[in-house]
Amino acid sequence: MKKIINGVDSLLAESLNGFAKAHQDIVSLNSSPYFVTRKQPKDKANKVALISGGGSGHEPLHTGLVGKGMLDAACPGQIFTSPTPDQMMAAAQATENGAGVLFIVKNYAGDVMNFEIAAEMIDCEHATVLVSDDVSLPKDHSTGRRGVAGTLIVEKIVGAAAQAGKSLLECKTLGDRVNDATASMGVALTSCTVPALGSPTFDIGDNEIEMGVGIHGERGREPMDLVSASKIVEQLAQTIDEDLKPQQGQKVLLHINGLGATPLMELYLIYDLAAQFWSDRGVEVVRSLVGNYTTSLDMTGASITLTLLDDEMMTLWDAPVHTANLRWGC
Amino acid sequence: MKKIINGVDSLLAESLNGFAKAHQDIVSLNSSPYFVTRKQPKDKANKVALISGGGSGHEPLHTGLVGKGMLDAACPGQIFTSPTPDQMMAAAQATENGAGVLFIVKNYAGDVMNFEIAAEMIDCEHATVLVSDDVSLPKDHSTGRRGVAGTLIVEKIVGAAAQAGKSLLECKTLGDRVNDATASMGVALTSCTVPALGSPTFDIGDNEIEMGVGIHGERGREPMDLVSASKIVEQLAQTIDEDLKPQQGQKVLLHINGLGATPLMELYLIYDLAAQFWSDRGVEVVRSLVGNYTTSLDMTGASITLTLLDDEMMTLWDAPVHTANLRWGC
């Protein structure tokens, strides 16, 4: 295992310290238990507190998305391990100011369970948006679909709504609506290596790719031969298209997400092909995001996310945001 | 070789198309010859045109840094191959509007030669800032020191000066001053793989790292055993410190740059250690940038860049910038 670390046990702490130092104008780090909160004033006295979290190793998700117009707090677990309920409770106590707490949770058993325990124990109004955008699994999958790169879209749009003073119920309803309008699917060329394990999470042949991979290295739909970018994008986009069924003239947000180790050149090439795929079907790509946002440590690969936008969502997407890793209008 | 591409020959074109589509609010792409220009209005009628370029494979450098407050144009060559003089001449013709052209060039033989040829052939006032921040080579190295991640710092600070209406001479003098005040050094854990070659640029043992590596996979000072992050950072920072000799109380910008395939968690850990290194020496880290900015395709590794700031540089660093990959205040 080749990593620039001091040790498996100290990695998260040292990394969070660096993150908090580098962005001390935007975030504060609480170390016991771990959570990151936004430093900027909230403008509105009564603002819904937006809290997310999950295992580490997906950076900049979620800590890099804490700040004005997006999350109020993020709770980082150990690598690929759910944060614990005490982290979410402490984050809720630190950020709630009368308008309630909205948890944004990726649909993984550990995250769901721990956020549920936290929700039961906090004594303020609260709700949860469960993100389940990964269409590599069928809709009726036993534990539901996984939450992947679409999580950022939910956090940005709901974040802008909360910033504008929308109520807890409005934010929760909007979050569910964005989740329903969002579909993602990824492909891996290599596995990631979790530091505590020290070896790749899964084996993959030199000429093989894993379609429908999850962001923790969960095996996908099927391993298949490495084919051209056009064929890979066609298959990912087709699956998303069949799920969301965008109509001609539908305005969409297209997000190409790198899984960590894929050069930007390839991500933009994927964007080009995916934009063409939907443009050929009369779908209007009106907003874009390309880069490494929901990563899987050092995994090589990428995912495509499509969100069907309405006017409200588009306005909220465009609203100012000021976080460590997503910033515009501020 | 595992890459999401359609073919070695079409990679650059498809990637640039995707980049231009995804950021059509910020940039325009010219295809024959290739160059990218900013779309936003210039505010000042007479603004120095800032042009950079170099081999592709370092994205977001330079195309992702075209826009308000930074570059007016970028000329992308093939992967790790200098752009040709006709690209620079066409970019100059497209962007020059009476205040002259400033070329910002990384110190590599091909880039230097081709920018020189272009400079000789354009018929407007022009100057060149040569970036040579890589302190892994001695100051008196036969071809001079290489230009690496410090290039972004030069482009941002001079970009803000040009945006504010400074003259060609002022921009050139400032650029040289920022270059002199900047030092970088990198480490690689793995080589990158250039698509046209299809195999890693250099061999490196499973337990070996390359200190002082260049951004094209040039071998560094010495291969050494993979040691702890603390030891790696200590050695990089020490070399930079001995070169720049910051005084106690000196204000600095600390930039941790990922070479492409290194997780953000590790880059923030490096930031933490490097910030501590200078803080222990009474040097004040007042500005920071952490992320993948000057990459080397899929290389695993990182570099540390330090810039000694004066008040003018700090103000210019903070000035609004609106590019695809660096954005604040806009």
Side-chain angles (χ1 to χ4, degrees):
Chain A
M1 174 178 71
K2 276 187 147 176
K3 293 186 186 287
I4 306 180
I5 60 175
N6 281 322
V8 170
D9 294 336
S10 61
L11 168 54
L12 180 61
E14 289 178 87
S15 179
L16 283 174
N17 281 340
F19 172 78
K21 257 189 229 173
H23 304 290
Q24 55 190 280
D25 53 328
I26 302 175
V27 297
S28 298
L29 172 65
N30 190 82
S31 294
S32 183
Y34 278 128
F35 63 90
V36 168
T37 55
R38 66 183 262 188
K39 252 189 188 165
Q40 304 113 318
K42 288 184 181 165
D43 300 347
K44 310 263 172 191
N46 261 19
K47 183 197 160 299
V48 171
L50 232 66
I51 301 177
S52 192
S56 293
H58 306 300
E59 289 69 28
L61 196 79
H62 302 269
T63 46
L65 305 175
V66 170
K68 187 172 175 177
M70 218 156 165
L71 297 177
D72 292 280
C75 306
Q78 290 293 325
I79 288 176
F80 292 178
T81 303
S82 172
T84 50
D86 63 314
Q87 290 177 260
M88 300 139 192
M89 286 175 58
Q93 276 157 10
T95 57
E96 206 277 333
N97 64 345
V101 168
L102 183 66
F103 291 126
I104 300 182
V105 183
K106 300 197 294 301
N107 187 31
Y108 293 99
D111 288 353
V112 172
M113 186 180 71
N114 287 350
F115 271 101
E116 266 176 14
I117 293 171
E120 278 169 21
M121 293 175 77
I122 59 175
D123 54 5
C124 63
E125 216 190 351
H126 57 83
T128 298
V129 172
L130 203 61
V131 185
S132 55
D133 56 314
D134 186 352
V135 296
S136 67
L137 298 175
K139 254 189 185 141
D140 57 356
H141 186 264
S142 59
T143 55
R145 286 168 160 176
R146 302 178 289 226
V148 290
T151 312
L152 176 147
I153 316 293
V154 175
E155 290 177 357
K156 170 65 185 85
I157 292 178
V158 177
Q163 186 75 39
K166 296 287 181 188
S167 72
L168 179 61
L169 179 61
E170 287 168 320
C171 289
K172 151 76 178 160
T173 308
L174 174 67
D176 288 342
R177 194 152 62 81
V178 176
N179 181 54
D180 289 343
T182 299
S184 303
M185 190 164 155
V187 60
L189 274 63
T190 66
S191 170
C192 57
T193 296
V194 178
L197 296 178
S199 58
T201 305
F202 61 85
D203 291 324
I204 186 163
D206 281 348
N207 203 31
E208 227 179 28
I209 59 175
E210 187 76 31
M211 294 296 282
V213 74
I215 56 171
H216 305 92
E218 303 92 336
R219 300 307 296 247
R221 284 188 160 195
E222 46 177 344
M224 56 180 246
D225 284 347
L226 175 59
V227 290
S228 69
S230 290
K231 284 185 183 157
I232 292 172
V233 170
E234 170 91 21
Q235 189 166 330
L236 296 176
Q238 191 68 49
T239 309
I240 291 167
D241 195 74
E242 282 166 12
D243 197 87
L244 284 183
K245 298 186 176 58
Q247 302 296 305
Q248 284 216 359
Q250 170 71 49
K251 289 182 167 59
V252 297
L253 161 62
L254 176 57
H255 172 31
I256 307 300
N257 173 58
L259 291 176
T262 300
L264 217 41
M265 281 194 87
E266 294 175 46
L267 300 185
Y268 279 117
L269 184 151
I270 295 168
Y271 178 87
D272 188 41
L273 297 168
Q276 193 61 50
F277 176 95
W278 277 295
S279 154
D280 288 346
R281 284 155 182 77
V283 174
E284 281 183 57
V285 178
V286 294
R287 295 293 182 275
S288 305
L289 184 70
V290 182
N292 291 287
Y293 291 99
T294 303
T295 61
S296 182
L297 292 168
D298 53 350
M299 187 182 285
T300 309
S303 62
I304 298 178
T305 297
L306 197 78
T307 299
L308 311 184
L309 293 172
D310 58 26
D311 289 345
E312 183 191 11
M313 289 185 207
M314 201 156 14
T315 304
L316 292 168
W317 177 260
D318 290 343
V321 59
H322 186 176
T323 70
N325 293 92
L326 205 68
R327 183 166 174 182
W328 54 73
C330 289
Chain B
M1 175 177 70
K2 277 187 145 175
K3 293 186 185 290
I4 306 180
I5 60 175
N6 282 323
V8 169
D9 294 336
S10 61
L11 168 55
L12 180 61
E14 291 179 87
S15 180
L16 283 173
N17 281 340
F19 173 78
K21 258 189 226 171
H23 303 291
Q24 56 188 280
D25 53 327
I26 303 176
V27 298
S28 298
L29 172 66
N30 190 82
S31 293
S32 183
Y34 277 128
F35 63 90
V36 168
T37 55
R38 65 182 264 190
K39 251 189 186 164
Q40 303 113 316
K42 289 186 181 165
D43 301 348
K44 311 262 171 193
N46 261 20
K47 183 198 161 299
V48 172
L50 231 66
I51 301 178
S52 192
S56 293
H58 306 300
E59 290 68 29
L61 197 78
H62 301 270
T63 48
L65 305 176
V66 170
K68 186 172 175 176
M70 219 157 163
L71 298 177
D72 292 282
C75 306
Q78 289 294 325
I79 289 176
F80 292 177
T81 304
S82 172
T84 51
D86 63 312
Q87 291 177 260
M88 299 140 193
M89 287 175 57
Q93 276 156 12
T95 56
E96 205 277 334
N97 64 346
V101 168
L102 184 66
F103 291 126
I104 300 182
V105 182
K106 300 195 294 302
N107 187 30
Y108 294 98
D111 288 352
V112 171
M113 186 180 72
N114 287 349
F115 271 101
E116 267 176 13
I117 294 171
E120 278 168 22
M121 296 176 74
I122 60 175
D123 53 6
C124 62
E125 215 191 351
H126 56 83
T128 296
V129 172
L130 203 61
V131 184
S132 56
D133 55 315
D134 186 351
V135 295
S136 67
L137 298 175
K139 254 188 184 144
D140 57 356
H141 186 263
S142 61
T143 56
R145 285 168 159 176
R146 303 179 289 226
V148 290
T151 312
L152 177 147
I153 315 293
V154 175
E155 290 177 358
K156 170 64 186 85
I157 291 177
V158 178
Q163 185 75 39
K166 296 286 179 189
S167 73
L168 180 61
L169 180 61
E170 287 169 319
C171 288
K172 152 76 178 158
T173 308
L174 174 67
D176 288 342
R177 195 153 58 83
V178 177
N179 181 54
D180 289 342
T182 299
S184 303
M185 189 167 157
V187 59
L189 275 63
T190 67
S191 170
C192 57
T193 296
V194 177
L197 296 179
S199 58
T201 306
F202 61 86
D203 291 324
I204 185 163
D206 281 347
N207 203 30
E208 227 179 29
I209 60 176
E210 188 76 30
M211 293 296 282
V213 73
I215 57 171
H216 305 93
E218 303 93 336
R219 300 306 296 248
R221 284 188 159 195
E222 47 176 343
M224 56 179 246
D225 285 347
L226 174 59
V227 290
S228 69
S230 290
K231 285 184 183 158
I232 292 172
V233 170
E234 170 91 22
Q235 189 167 329
L236 296 175
Q238 189 69 46
T239 308
I240 291 167
D241 194 74
E242 282 165 11
D243 196 87
L244 285 183
K245 298 187 178 58
Q247 300 297 304
Q248 284 216 358
Q250 170 70 50
K251 288 183 166 58
V252 297
L253 161 62
L254 175 59
H255 172 31
I256 307 300
N257 174 58
L259 291 176
T262 299
L264 216 41
M265 280 193 88
E266 294 174 47
L267 300 184
Y268 280 116
L269 184 150
I270 294 167
Y271 177 86
D272 188 42
L273 297 168
Q276 191 63 50
F277 176 94
W278 277 295
S279 153
D280 288 348
R281 283 154 182 79
V283 174
E284 281 184 57
V285 178
V286 294
R287 295 293 182 274
S288 307
L289 185 70
V290 182
N292 291 286
Y293 290 99
T294 302
T295 61
S296 182
L297 292 169
D298 53 350
M299 188 182 283
T300 310
S303 62
I304 298 177
T305 297
L306 197 77
T307 299
L308 310 185
L309 294 172
D310 58 26
D311 289 346
E312 184 191 11
M313 290 186 207
M314 201 157 15
T315 302
L316 293 168
W317 176 260
D318 290 343
V321 58
H322 185 176
T323 70
N325 292 93
L326 205 67
R327 184 167 173 181
W328 55 73
C330 292

